[in-house]
Amino acid sequence: MSRFGNSVVLLLVAVLALAQSSSELMTPDVVRIGSHLACLCGACNNTVANCPMLECHYARPAKEKIYRMVAEGRTDEEIIQSFVDEHGLQALAVPPKEGFNLLGWVMPFAAIAFGLLVIWWFVRRYQGVRVAASGADDEVFERYRDRIEEDLSRLDS
Amino acid sequence: MENLGSLAIILAFCLSVYAIVASVTGKIKRNPFLVVSGERAVYAIWFLLTFASALLIYALLTSDFRLAYVAGHSNRSMPLLYKFAAWWGGQEGSLLLWAWILSTYSAIVVYTNRRRFRSMMPYVTATLMVTQCFFLILIGFIVSPFEVLAVGKEVVGVADGNGLNPLLQHWAMAIHPPTLYLGYVGFAVPYAFAMASLITRQPGDAWIHTTRRWTLITWGFQSAGILLGAGWAYSVLGWGGYWGWDPVENASLLPWITATAFLHSVMMQEKKGMMKVWNMVLVSATFILCIFGTFLTRSGVVSSVHAFAQSPIGTWFVGFLALLIGATAYLILDRLDYLKSEARLESVVSRESAFLFNNLILLASCFAVLWGTLFPVISEAFTGEKISVDAPFFNRVNVPIGLFLLFLTGIGPLIAWRRSSLESLKRAFLWPAVGGVATAVVLVAAGVRHFYAVMSLALCAFVAWTIFQEFYKGSRAIRSRTGKNWLAAAVELTHRNTRRYGGYVVHMGVVLMFIGFTGAAFNKDKTVEVHVGDHFAIGRYELRVADINSGENPNYAWSSAEVEVRQNGKLIDRLYPETRFYKSSRQGASEVAIRRRLHEDLYLNFAGLSEDGDNKAVIQAYVFPLVSWIWIGFWVLMAGTLICLIPSKTRFQFARTEIVGMVKEHEPVRQ
């Protein structure tokens, strides 16, 4: 086969591989349920609903399965559970808010709470211990205070 | 040739060990000649690694497929630019680039400080060379870029290489990795100065003043690297996203966040002598996270699209990270006495506490991203079951944190140092707050019901107003004194205090980027299969596939759709989305067509022809409102960073706490 012929075959293979015929799969039901499910293709961090790869080897059959189960009259919970039964908890797009995995959700906010505690400690520490100037008379102290106030007001203006 | 390359790397490794030993011994034994010879070893390492890199580039450009690296990441038909970019297209080459950039930075540091900081410099050199030594072990002994294919076996040779991954054959991707590396590696310098300052028990802030520019420049490179990656993902991957919360994307974000926190909290140390321990922690965390990010990309610990082929270097990285964390923690804890705060916090309503909150929120965001990235591994270790932590998790956790950070961006710069009175707060925030609330009201009245979108745009208006107000007030004062026009007065104002006003420009860039991020709440997408001549609509656009063409060149075969774009029946544009098939790697890739406008992008991906033999074109169409503002914001952010690097016209003497008497501990103060 000629070089051009080879290329045409390659192009056809590529085009066939990239093509899809069921864009109608993306019904509101599939989008809603698919947004709770992780795309487990290993190449993206998207959900089944928004995985952009038309021929994704995971998201495409998953969308078909959701479409089929919705047509059978199954509820959202049943459909999601069937994915969990098949693939385990990793089928969910986010960790379930129970058991150990609750920690996944709590920790970022616990970190903020911990940080606030640290700030509270910091503020107390650095407000609580005041420098008592002894040995410097009030006049000297006042002079420095005025100078600092003046510098700062110039700085902030 | 390959022998020379390997020899250069091994010699560089030996010299890096020598530089460490000579610098430290020279310092301890007070032998300046030894210290200088250690510094000269740094220059020699740069020459050797430049030579090794030049050899690899020559092999790539001349398609020397005897080398496994060249055969694996290049081919004859690739354009010259991408042959060059293959230097960092694979594991071994990118590690060589890492080592080369580090050697360049080290040589610059040693040269520019050859007469300064003589007590600290030996340890700066030693710290840099420890990192250099680690990377040279990797490319010298574990994953050599000069490995030769089938030596001693009866293999004739490789006719052509595999070529660079087609997705990487894009100009933004050609410069994204080195830009990011310039940022990652650059943080080795502030870290080295920080460690040297701790080792030599420096009482002052010399390391901070010296590394201020380094920190800013490397932060700029990190920002540019991250945004180039986002821009590449947007215009190449064909799904319209610019951020996917992939573990490796997250890994690049982590040191950027801590570096941002450092750039802010360092001002507390410069102006008030506070937060010294914290700054040490932040600069160390940033560098350690840079190494951690490199480890994450190359170890296969988490699955990622960015991951390089798995190799045994993961264990080495764990060892190096343990060494870094252990040594840093020991030094900071051992030297706490030298890091005592010189001032106290006077009021919760002050610039100081705004910085504290800024740091808290930045670190919380950093932790949330790190936690989400590692949680699948942690959860599996504890429960034995795999879980997924995908984009929805990161969005849910980080959107509120990001909005609070945006709020602080507006608040922080306007609160006075030490304490702010109610009156001054009112003066500073009344009109910006009115602007923010008015924006929210207008948006809700216009029918926008997305809570976060309304919040985000209202906060953007608030922050933009505070920044505008600052420029307006300052420029007005200069105008009244000098009679200059507004623009000249604003330039003069900025030039007088480049860090302050450059910082505002950076904040403005962040505001513009948030406007772009907010647009994602209103994205539209549609996938259609249409015959040539058929119409379909998305948003306000009517689209018609006018023609489909195909062809080929030595590198790839292509097929392109000509799509007419109409609005209200009037032809406004023609777009040509294309699909390609790269011959040597046998992989497909999209060349999307984007109609970029300030208010929204129309984004078309031609996915090929339908498989039912009906010759329908499969088109994915997207409308992305406001997305261009992300890229505009990026340029503004870069401009602001550059302004910060220009020396100020007026040298400020900051009021620092002066000791006016002895401290009597535990004695209450009379108010």
Side-chain angles (χ1 to χ4, degrees):
Chain A
M1 198 184 279
S2 69
R3 213 172 144 198
F4 178 71
N6 273 329
S7 302
V8 169
V9 170
L10 282 177
L11 181 62
L12 272 175
V13 169
V15 163
L16 287 177
L18 289 167
Q20 72 118 336
S21 62
S22 49
S23 51
E24 69 274 7
L25 271 178
M26 294 302 283
T27 63
D29 289 327
V30 174
V31 171
R32 186 185 65 252
I33 300 167
S35 65
H36 293 286
L37 297 167
C39 176
L40 297 178
C41 68
C44 72
N45 265 27
N46 293 303
T47 61
V48 165
N50 67 4
C51 176
M53 289 184 288
L54 294 174
E55 277 302 306
C56 175
H57 66 85
Y58 183 85
R60 170 83 188 274
K63 282 176 200 162
E64 285 169 355
K65 183 178 170 181
I66 299 169
Y67 189 82
R68 204 175 54 243
M69 290 180 84
V70 169
E72 287 167 7
R74 307 279 203 95
T75 64
D76 290 12
E77 289 72 26
E78 284 173 343
I79 298 172
I80 291 170
Q81 190 55 45
S82 80
F83 276 89
V84 174
D85 293 341
E86 194 178 334
H87 301 281
L89 285 176
Q90 62 175 334
L92 300 173
V94 293
K97 290 174 185 163
E98 57 187 34
F100 181 81
N101 291 319
L102 187 61
L103 209 60
W105 290 97
V106 171
M107 279 301 275
F109 298 102
I112 296 181
F114 176 73
L116 284 172
L117 271 177
V118 172
I119 290 184
W120 179 72
W121 168 83
F122 186 87
V123 169
R124 265 184 67 98
R125 181 176 164 185
Y126 286 95
Q127 277 198 308
V129 181
R130 303 228 162 167
V131 176
S134 66
D137 58 36
D138 284 352
E139 196 189 328
V140 174
F141 199 78
E142 280 308 313
R143 206 177 66 229
Y144 274 106
R145 188 182 284 279
D146 289 346
R147 160 87 191 283
I148 290 167
E149 291 290 348
E150 196 188 313
D151 284 351
L152 283 172
S153 62
R154 201 181 312 140
L155 193 67
D156 288 332
S157 65
Chain B
M1 186 179 80
E2 57 282 355
N3 292 338
L4 285 176
S6 296
L7 183 68
I9 289 174
I10 290 168
L11 275 177
F13 163 72
C14 297
L15 282 172
S16 69
V17 175
Y18 174 76
I20 298 167
V21 175
S23 302
V24 176
T25 317
K27 170 73 183 166
I28 293 170
K29 302 271 182 201
R30 294 166 196 268
N31 182 341
F33 296 107
L34 213 49
V35 172
V36 170
S37 85
E39 292 182 347
R40 292 199 175 147
V42 173
Y43 299 134
I45 291 169
W46 181 79
F47 278 110
L48 286 165
L49 289 183
T50 306
F51 177 64
S53 303
L55 285 181
L56 185 66
I57 293 165
Y58 178 74
L60 285 165
L61 295 182
T62 56
S63 300
D64 183 355
F65 297 127
R66 291 177 308 117
L67 295 185
Y69 187 78
V70 179
H73 301 94
S74 175
N75 66 17
R76 293 185 198 284
S77 57
M78 260 167 40
L80 215 57
L81 169 70
Y82 300 129
K83 281 186 180 176
F84 183 80
W87 180 12
W88 49 82
Q91 172 94 283
E92 299 83 355
S94 66
L95 285 172
L96 176 61
L97 177 69
W98 233 102
W100 181 76
I101 294 175
L102 182 60
S103 73
T104 310
Y105 278 154
S106 304
I108 294 172
V109 166
V110 166
Y111 182 76
T112 51
N113 291 295
R114 64 195 180 283
R115 292 194 189 92
R116 299 191 301 162
F117 307 114
R118 292 320 299 166
S119 64
M120 268 206 290
M121 275 312 287
Y123 293 109
V124 171
T125 310
T127 312
L128 287 170
M129 286 303 107
V130 167
T131 313
Q132 185 78 74
C133 184
F134 169 69
F135 279 93
L136 289 172
I137 289 174
L138 295 183
I139 53 171
F141 306 105
I142 323 266
V143 282
S144 169
F146 293 103
E147 194 181 318
V148 179
L149 277 173
V151 175
K153 294 177 188 166
E154 289 181 4
V155 175
V156 180
V158 181
D160 202 359
N162 292 338
L164 192 64
N165 184 335
L167 294 175
L168 305 183
Q169 297 192 30
H170 183 272
W171 71 267
M173 190 36 70
I175 54 173
H176 157 69
T179 316
L180 209 51
Y181 286 0
L182 282 169
Y184 268 174
V185 185
F187 258 93
V189 177
Y191 173 76
F193 271 95
M195 290 304 104
S197 163
L198 280 179
I199 295 168
T200 53
R201 294 183 162 87
Q202 296 285 319
D205 305 331
W207 74 276
I208 279 188
H209 296 296
T210 319
T211 57
R212 185 198 293 151
R213 286 228 161 79
W214 276 103
T215 318
L216 256 178
I217 292 170
T218 48
W219 181 84
F221 276 125
Q222 278 188 340
S223 311
I226 292 170
L227 260 293
L228 274 171
W232 164 81
Y234 180 69
S235 50
V236 171
L237 293 184
W239 57 285
Y242 42 81
W243 194 261
W245 297 109
D246 179 84
V248 172
E249 289 173 1
N250 296 348
S252 74
L253 192 63
L254 295 172
W256 183 85
I257 298 175
T258 48
T260 310
F262 176 70
L263 283 175
H264 286 88
S265 74
V266 85
M267 284 184 250
M268 288 270 277
Q269 185 163 349
E270 283 182 89
K271 295 184 182 172
K272 304 285 289 185
M274 298 169 91
M275 298 180 81
K276 294 181 178 181
V277 179
W278 184 237
N279 284 328
M280 281 288 174
V281 171
L282 279 182
V283 79
S284 309
T286 304
F287 179 62
I288 290 167
L289 283 171
C290 288
I291 301 289
F292 177 74
T294 318
F295 157 70
L296 216 56
T297 325
R298 293 148 197 280
S299 62
V301 170
V302 287
S303 62
S304 159
V305 271
H306 291 73
F308 287 93
Q310 291 197 16
S311 65
I313 62 173
T315 335
W316 286 86
F317 269 100
V318 173
F320 186 56
L321 278 170
L323 172 77
L324 283 179
I325 295 170
T328 310
Y330 168 76
L331 280 171
I332 292 177
L333 291 174
D334 190 59
R335 266 68 164 174
L336 276 179
D337 283 353
Y338 290 86
L339 300 171
K340 275 194 176 150
S341 192
E342 294 167 28
R344 65 195 174 87
L345 199 66
E346 295 195 21
S347 165
V348 181
V349 189
S350 62
R351 179 85 60 92
E352 289 89 326
S353 62
F355 275 123
L356 290 181
F357 282 104
N358 150 297
N359 266 245
L360 165 68
I361 297 302
L362 279 168
L363 267 281
S365 164
C366 178
F367 177 77
V369 175
L370 180 65
W371 181 251
T373 309
L374 293 181
F375 192 64
V377 182
I378 298 169
S379 176
E380 195 180 351
F382 276 88
T383 64
E385 189 171 11
K386 275 189 176 170
I387 56 150
S388 303
V389 179
D390 289 345
F393 172 89
F394 291 100
N395 289 335
R396 254 182 256 177
V397 172
N398 279 299
V399 168
I401 293 178
L403 289 181
F404 192 60
L405 197 60
L406 182 61
F407 173 67
L408 285 177
T409 309
I411 296 279
L414 298 199
I415 301 186
W417 289 100
R418 298 174 70 221
R419 63 160 61 92
S420 264
S421 65
L422 197 64
E423 190 53 39
S424 72
L425 287 181
K426 215 169 100 182
R427 212 169 42 235
F429 294 114
L430 179 66
W431 286 110
V434 168
V437 172
T439 307
V441 170
V442 169
L443 287 169
V444 172
V448 180
R449 292 291 180 272
H450 194 288
F451 174 73
Y452 281 142
V454 173
M455 279 290 289
S456 174
L457 292 175
L459 284 170
C460 285
F462 168 75
V463 181
W465 199 305
T466 60
I467 296 168
F468 172 76
Q469 193 173 269
E470 281 296 283
F471 274 97
Y472 172 72
K473 277 185 190 168
S475 307
R476 191 181 54 187
I478 289 177
R479 246 173 79 82
S480 66
R481 252 177 279 150
T482 62
K484 288 184 173 176
N485 66 35
W486 281 104
L487 184 65
V491 171
E492 170 70 19
L493 176 75
T494 310
H495 197 183
R496 283 187 187 180
N497 190 348
T498 51
R499 276 183 86 193
R500 178 174 173 174
Y501 290 95
Y504 288 150
V505 175
V506 171
H507 282 184
M508 196 63 215
V510 172
V511 167
L512 296 178
M513 286 163 82
F514 264 84
I515 292 176
F517 298 148
T518 310
F522 311 103
N523 287 352
K524 294 189 183 85
D525 68 280
K526 192 175 212 174
T527 302
V528 293
E529 293 164 31
V530 283
H531 286 113
V532 171
D534 283 355
H535 296 256
F536 67 99
I538 181 164
R540 289 169 299 152
Y541 303 101
E542 301 135 34
L543 306 174
R544 176 176 170 268
V545 178
D547 200 3
I548 295 174
N549 297 302
S550 55
E552 68 163 334
N553 61 35
N555 197 14
Y556 57 82
W558 56 268
S559 178
S560 162
E562 180 188 342
V563 182
E564 292 171 355
V565 183
R566 288 188 165 77
Q567 220 169 15
N568 303 321
K570 189 180 158 203
L571 183 70
I572 54 169
D573 212 342
R574 282 176 206 275
L575 296 177
Y576 299 89
E578 186 176 307
T579 179
R580 291 178 180 173
F581 189 74
Y582 286 80
K583 294 173 189 172
S584 56
S585 59
R586 307 183 74 78
Q587 289 185 57
S590 296
E591 194 73 6
V592 298
I594 308 172
R595 184 174 191 270
R596 294 176 193 265
R597 293 295 180 271
L598 287 181
H599 65 295
E600 66 185 17
D601 282 11
L602 173 64
Y603 183 106
L604 298 181
N605 180 29
F606 175 41
L609 297 176
S610 62
E611 64 185 5
D612 53 11
D614 207 15
N615 269 350
K616 284 183 188 166
V618 182
I619 307 262
Q620 289 174 297
Y622 301 82
V623 173
F624 296 122
L626 303 173
V627 73
S628 288
W629 291 97
I630 297 176
W631 323 122
I632 295 170
F634 162 68
W635 289 111
V636 174
L637 181 140
M638 291 315 286
T641 311
L642 289 177
I643 292 172
C644 289
L645 288 169
I646 299 169
S648 288
K649 204 167 163 184
T650 316
R651 283 197 70 79
F652 283 88
Q653 290 297 318
F654 297 113
R656 288 281 290 262
T657 306
E658 293 175 57
I659 296 169
V660 292
M662 298 298 290
V663 174
K664 273 192 182 174
E665 278 187 56
H666 312 301
E667 180 174 304
V669 178
R670 289 189 308 276
Q671 294 288 335

